[in-house]
Amino acid sequence: MKYGPLKIGNLEAKIPLIQGGMGVGISLGNLAGAVASEGGIGIISTAQIGFREPDFYENTFEANLRAIKKEFAKARKIAPSGIIGFNIMVASNHYKEIVIEAVKAGANLIISGAGVPTELPEYVKGFKTKIAPIVSSEKSAKVLLKLWDKRYGTTADMVVVEGPLAGGHLGFKQEEITNKIDNYDEDVKSIIAIVKEYAEKYKKQIPVILAGGISEKKDVEKAFELGVQGVQVATRFVPTEECDAAKEYKEAYINAKEEDVVIVKSPVGMPGRAINNLFMQRVNAGEKFTPKKCLSCLKHCNPAQIPYCITERLINAAKGDVDNALLFCGGKVGKENKIRTVKEVIKELME
């Protein structure tokens, strides 16, 4: 199967592949730049992006804003003419300010999920940055696109459909995830139909991208057969030379088996998919890990009520302390047996 370019308004990616945003510190400027330089779309995650800044624990918000500029500049240097964007969680504190900072940095695209990005069109008004919500159901697509149409007289530039095999936070109820894994094709087709209505109304192309469980060439082929215009891949890019994560994190992906993957309850309030490592086993056994310091990263989080601090444990992951970390991953982790290059992964999936 031969794939054409991915067009998002006036943007055109030679390869219809988007590298999924992975926080904290997994998809930063280096990985995003590498993917963009190969003709795909590179995505930087803003989730606690400034964790390596020297004043991160004293001035978290300012450190994050500073790092947005730094990581984008790094990616742009690697891919001067590539398409580079940000993944921004709606559940983040200072969501508006983070979006505006990403736009000012020069983002070509903002992909937004982990909540409903109801006000995203307002925040990017006056800029050329394209916007793409993440949806997981026909209902969420219908509600959001109707709201944007009615409130702002606009629509999405792209829509990312994230299925039940995705890594990290999932847009499903806990009991829905298993049932949806083998019965998601019709959901995808329904979402495509809804997006088509708004594409016709606004007389524009709105590409639909499928994410979640895209780990082999056959997954890509099936996605396009369903009618989407591109795929989003995250997990496969972790064990690459260019990924911003520590070597130990990459090795955890290589060593993981299908039975090592579990659905966890995240402090964000959504179910998530992760590797069942030593830390997660202790959490499931009932241990509580009081955060050293609350960084107010989430809008709705009470440190006294959560089993662990998600920022603290994702920072441990990015730094390579994998036994004391939350290791988010996709449902098909373990497809790699060695660390490869971004170029090799893209070639295997798309050629």
Side-chain angles (χ1 to χ4, degrees):
M1 185 179 287
K2 190 174 182 180
Y3 308 107
L6 173 59
K7 297 180 180 180
I8 314 167
N10 63 336
L11 301 176
E12 184 174 308
K14 182 177 69 175
I15 299 172
L17 178 147
I18 298 172
Q19 160 254 311
M22 296 170 282
V24 172
I26 309 304
S27 61
L28 297 176
N30 203 54
L31 178 58
V35 173
S37 70
E38 293 295 332
I41 297 178
I43 300 294
I44 299 165
S45 169
T46 63
Q48 300 296 49
I49 190 171
F51 76 101
R52 288 195 178 104
E53 292 292 301
D55 61 341
F56 175 70
Y57 290 97
E58 293 75 35
N59 303 295
T60 308
F61 176 53
E62 293 81 1
N64 284 333
L65 295 187
R66 205 181 309 130
I68 286 172
K69 293 179 182 176
K70 287 184 179 180
E71 294 300 330
F72 184 82
K74 186 192 298 181
R76 181 56 72 209
K77 187 176 180 180
I78 296 168
S81 58
I83 301 175
I84 301 164
F86 288 90
N87 180 293
I88 306 177
M89 289 173 43
V90 179
S92 305
N93 254 330
H94 307 293
Y95 175 71
K96 176 181 178 180
E97 293 86 351
I98 292 169
V99 168
I100 291 171
E101 196 66 27
V103 169
K104 285 164 59 180
N108 298 120
L109 171 70
I110 287 175
I111 296 175
S112 196
V116 185
T118 52
E119 297 170 330
L120 185 56
E122 179 185 332
Y123 301 156
V124 302
K125 195 173 181 181
F127 292 92
K128 294 179 180 179
T129 305
K130 309 301 181 190
I131 54 175
I134 297 174
V135 300
S136 294
S137 67
E138 178 184 0
K139 181 181 178 182
S140 60
K142 189 178 289 185
V143 168
L144 182 65
L145 294 179
K146 183 178 180 180
L147 186 148
W148 281 6
D149 175 41
K150 187 175 180 180
R151 184 182 294 180
Y152 303 108
T154 191
T155 193
D157 297 301
M158 182 179 81
V159 173
V160 177
V161 180
E162 198 166 87
L165 282 168
H169 295 114
L170 303 169
F172 302 93
K173 294 177 181 176
Q174 187 103 10
E175 60 273 15
E176 288 181 321
I177 296 170
T178 303
N179 293 333
K180 286 288 184 183
I181 287 175
D182 296 319
N183 301 286
Y184 196 60
D185 292 0
E186 293 307 312
D187 296 65
V188 175
K189 291 176 183 177
S190 298
I191 294 169
I192 291 172
I194 291 165
V195 173
K196 188 178 179 182
E197 290 177 24
Y198 288 91
E200 290 173 352
K201 177 173 183 176
Y202 283 90
K203 296 179 171 59
K204 63 185 278 188
Q205 287 185 325
I206 307 175
V208 176
I209 310 301
L210 185 59
I214 310 291
S215 65
E216 299 177 82
K217 192 172 183 177
K218 65 180 182 181
D219 301 322
V220 177
E221 290 172 351
K222 182 184 176 183
F224 279 89
E225 286 167 2
L226 288 172
V228 301
Q229 287 73 50
V231 292
Q232 179 174 288
V233 179
T235 297
R236 282 295 305 273
F237 286 118
V238 171
T240 59
E241 292 176 8
E242 298 91 341
C243 180
D244 298 89
K247 185 182 178 184
E248 292 84 355
Y249 189 100
K250 300 176 186 183
E251 289 173 344
Y253 269 47
I254 291 170
N255 296 329
K257 298 178 180 64
E258 190 177 336
E259 57 267 28
D260 296 329
V261 180
V262 292
I263 302 299
V264 303
K265 186 176 180 181
S266 164
V268 170
M270 303 167 72
R273 179 174 277 109
I275 294 174
N276 191 22
N277 63 342
L278 181 61
F279 171 70
M280 194 47 57
Q281 291 165 18
R282 292 173 67 186
V283 170
N284 290 334
E287 281 193 59
K288 191 173 184 297
F289 299 84
T290 305
K292 295 174 183 176
K293 180 179 181 180
C294 179
L295 300 174
S296 301
C297 58
L298 301 172
K299 291 175 184 175
H300 307 292
C301 179
N302 184 343
Q305 295 177 348
I306 58 172
Y308 59 91
C309 169
I310 191 166
T311 286
E312 187 174 271
R313 299 299 159 170
L314 289 176
I315 287 176
N316 284 352
K319 290 182 174 180
D321 184 9
V322 294
D323 285 338
N324 294 295
L326 172 60
L327 303 178
F328 274 149
C329 67
K332 294 185 179 179
V333 69
K335 292 293 182 182
E336 292 284 20
N337 56 11
K338 64 177 182 178
I339 294 177
R340 306 189 188 211
T341 64
V342 161
K343 187 181 188 76
E344 288 172 330
V345 172
I346 292 176
K347 184 176 181 180
E348 182 185 319
L349 290 170
M350 305 304 295
E351 286 192 4

